Amino acid sequence: MNLNSDNFPLRPAWTEIDLGRLRRNLQLIRGDLPRAVKLLAVVKDEAYGHGALDVARVAMEEGAWGFGLSTLEEAMHLREGGITAPLLLLGERQEAELPWCVAHDLTVCVNEPHAVRRLAKLAAEFGKRVPVHVKIHTGMSRYGVRWDEALPLIEQIIAEKSLLLEGMMTHFSQSDEADKTFANLQFSRFSEVLRAMEQKGISVKLRHTCNSGGFLDLPQAHLDMVRVGILLYGVFPSTVCRKIPGIEPVMSVKARIAAVQKLNPGEVVGYGMRYTAQSERRIAILPIGYGDGFPRVRNEGCALIHGRRAPLIGGIAMDALMVDVTDIPEAKMWDEAVLMGKQGSDEITVRDIAKLKNSVTYDVLTNWRLRLRRKSVNSHSGIPREVEPMAAK
């Protein structure tokens, strides 16, 4: 049975990915960068829930140099989908992953001596000269070699004939806030390493430090390449960073009204009876809930129906939530409701959902669940199409 065939009905709750908006965002970002600065599109975690393969195909057409990923599985998914561009695996690799990386031309970060030796040996066995990137820990205290201990590792890589030192990188802890003190300190530490390399006569093709926030607010740190993630998808990393006019959200979350109920005064709604009608009300049931990633709130939030806000009432269930449509008398079964995105002149933003969840936009985008299928619209063909469910997180 092919659940992805045109004959299999789409569930009446889904995420909608506007590939036309994605393309426009990429064009605006690319146009904002100096021509010589390369763009690494970060597509880890299924492109923040947007569908890594679709995003990668559009990004390639719009001039992306390559793609940033987190896991070997993510990289193999793109390779199997025909993406031949450079794939940079961020973070650390287990030794068992390295043969796969060499065989499939994946670029890895090597940040300690044993990994250098093992990767060099494998590259030689494959008859390849493998490009690597070194991550410099400049203060985030996550991955990488410390800025004040990096030179011996770099010299070790240079000494290996089967390895090519292609990139040097670091990652900002706080590039999207108004106070850039720590980001500037990190960039200063990274620059120290580059100067030490220059004194040793060591050159490198790609120096990259900037995430989305750094791209927007730290032009002096653009160097040879920027790593842009959440901004591709139309979400600015903070409310205080620089804005590029025209950037728009790519993802919407939608559902259709699956039932309509009448409430008399004194009647209650949902588990725990968290809402009691004070007057006669009319409510709509949407077949989406916390099992799909919607925040488990009570009497908070809203949906857009016929371009107007319908307040959420009662508690969110695993598979359903209820909204008050008393003031939207034309609302009827199977009408479209928007939980996140635009309808008419109004919009529920990813930040609105993040507030309900007491979390951040990144968490919201990546945590819509498996059973919410993605529908891509405004692709090259202009024909909406369903794609595979999101990979498990």
Side-chain angles (χ1 to χ4, degrees):
M1 180 184 297
N2 182 9
L3 302 186
N4 295 304
S5 73
D6 292 337
N7 295 325
F8 191 82
L10 181 68
R11 178 189 165 202
W14 67 97
T15 59
E16 192 166 285
I17 308 301
D18 191 324
L19 296 179
R21 285 188 181 179
L22 172 68
R23 187 178 301 279
R24 180 62 178 154
N25 291 347
L26 280 155
Q27 291 169 352
L28 289 167
I29 290 166
R30 187 62 265 178
D32 194 81
L33 277 170
R35 186 181 297 273
V37 178
K38 292 178 170 59
L39 173 64
L40 183 84
V42 181
V43 295
K44 62 183 179 178
D45 202 354
E46 273 297 296
Y48 295 35
H50 292 70
L53 198 51
D54 272 357
V55 169
R57 287 168 175 160
V58 173
M60 284 292 297
E61 292 170 2
E62 296 303 328
W65 174 83
F67 301 98
L69 302 137
S70 182
T71 71
L72 178 61
E73 290 86 351
E74 291 170 348
M76 292 304 300
H77 176 59
L78 291 192
R79 284 286 186 255
E80 289 169 0
I83 301 299
T84 58
L87 302 182
L88 176 60
L89 282 168
L90 306 166
E92 300 286 347
R93 296 302 107 206
Q94 299 178 85
E95 189 168 323
E97 296 177 85
L98 295 179
W100 289 80
C101 294
V102 175
H104 295 280
D105 298 319
L106 309 179
T107 305
V108 300
C109 297
V110 285
N111 302 315
E112 55 88 25
H114 176 73
V116 172
R117 290 190 296 271
R118 182 60 182 144
L119 188 62
K121 185 173 185 297
L122 284 167
E125 290 171 357
F126 275 85
K128 294 182 176 182
R129 193 175 186 207
V130 172
V132 298
H133 291 224
V134 173
K135 185 168 189 178
I136 304 299
H137 153 33
T138 57
M140 192 166 177
S141 302
R142 199 169 63 176
Y143 296 118
V145 57
R146 283 179 60 94
W147 73 95
D148 53 0
E149 299 174 355
L151 197 57
L153 181 76
I154 294 165
E155 291 176 321
Q156 181 188 355
I157 294 169
I158 294 296
E160 295 286 357
K161 290 183 172 55
S162 59
L163 299 183
L164 170 66
L165 180 62
E166 179 185 63
M168 298 290 299
M169 62 180 288
T170 194
H171 193 65
F172 290 124
S173 301
Q174 197 176 38
S175 61
D176 55 0
E177 297 297 329
D179 185 352
K180 297 291 193 290
T181 303
F182 195 70
N184 288 328
L185 174 62
Q186 286 188 267
F187 187 62
S188 174
R189 288 169 171 172
F190 185 72
S191 299
E192 284 179 28
V193 177
L194 296 180
R195 284 193 296 271
M197 291 170 59
E198 188 176 354
Q199 289 169 5
K200 293 280 189 176
I202 300 171
S203 62
V204 64
K205 179 182 176 183
L206 296 173
R207 304 160 300 161
H208 50 111
T209 68
C210 287
N211 51 9
S212 291
F215 154 63
L216 291 167
D217 288 354
L218 294 167
Q220 72 276 18
H222 285 175
L223 301 177
D224 304 304
M225 184 165 71
V226 295
R227 306 183 302 270
V228 180
I230 199 166
L231 189 64
L232 298 178
Y233 312 112
V235 180
F236 288 90
S238 78
T239 58
V240 300
C241 62
R242 178 173 68 95
K243 302 300 187 292
I244 299 176
I247 296 280
E248 290 188 282
V250 173
M251 179 191 290
S252 301
V253 179
K254 300 182 177 183
R256 296 192 181 278
I257 296 174
V260 177
Q261 300 285 357
K262 183 181 79 171
L263 293 182
N264 293 318
E267 292 185 334
V268 298
V269 172
Y271 289 121
M273 301 176 292
R274 298 289 178 172
Y275 175 86
T276 302
Q278 300 301 307
S279 59
E280 188 173 289
R281 313 304 294 170
R282 184 169 178 262
I283 66 170
I285 291 78
L286 304 180
I288 184 171
Y290 66 77
D292 301 293
F294 196 88
R296 192 173 180 270
V297 293
R298 301 180 178 112
N299 299 311
E300 292 183 88
C302 60
L304 297 176
I305 298 173
H306 289 278
R308 281 170 282 172
R309 294 197 170 222
L312 190 151
I313 60 174
I316 302 295
M318 185 183 295
D319 312 305
L321 58 80
M322 286 67 74
V323 294
D324 189 331
V325 293
T326 307
D327 296 330
I328 311 174
E330 64 271 39
K332 62 186 184 303
M333 281 186 64
W334 309 120
D335 281 352
E336 186 176 278
V338 173
L339 282 304
M340 187 179 84
K342 290 183 179 180
Q343 191 185 70
S345 60
D346 206 348
E347 181 178 11
I348 299 170
T349 70
V350 65
R351 293 193 190 281
D352 294 330
I353 304 298
K355 288 176 184 176
L356 291 178
K357 201 173 183 180
N358 194 28
S359 189
V360 295
T361 54
Y362 299 81
D363 178 39
V364 173
L365 292 177
T366 59
N367 276 285
W368 298 109
R369 300 285 297 282
L370 267 171
R371 60 185 188 166
L372 272 184
R373 296 179 64 180
R374 285 189 306 270
K375 182 168 76 170
S376 296
V377 300
N378 295 328
S379 59
H380 248 329
S381 65
I383 301 172
R385 65 186 183 85
E386 299 169 32
V387 297
E388 295 286 345
M390 286 187 245
K393 302 289 188 273

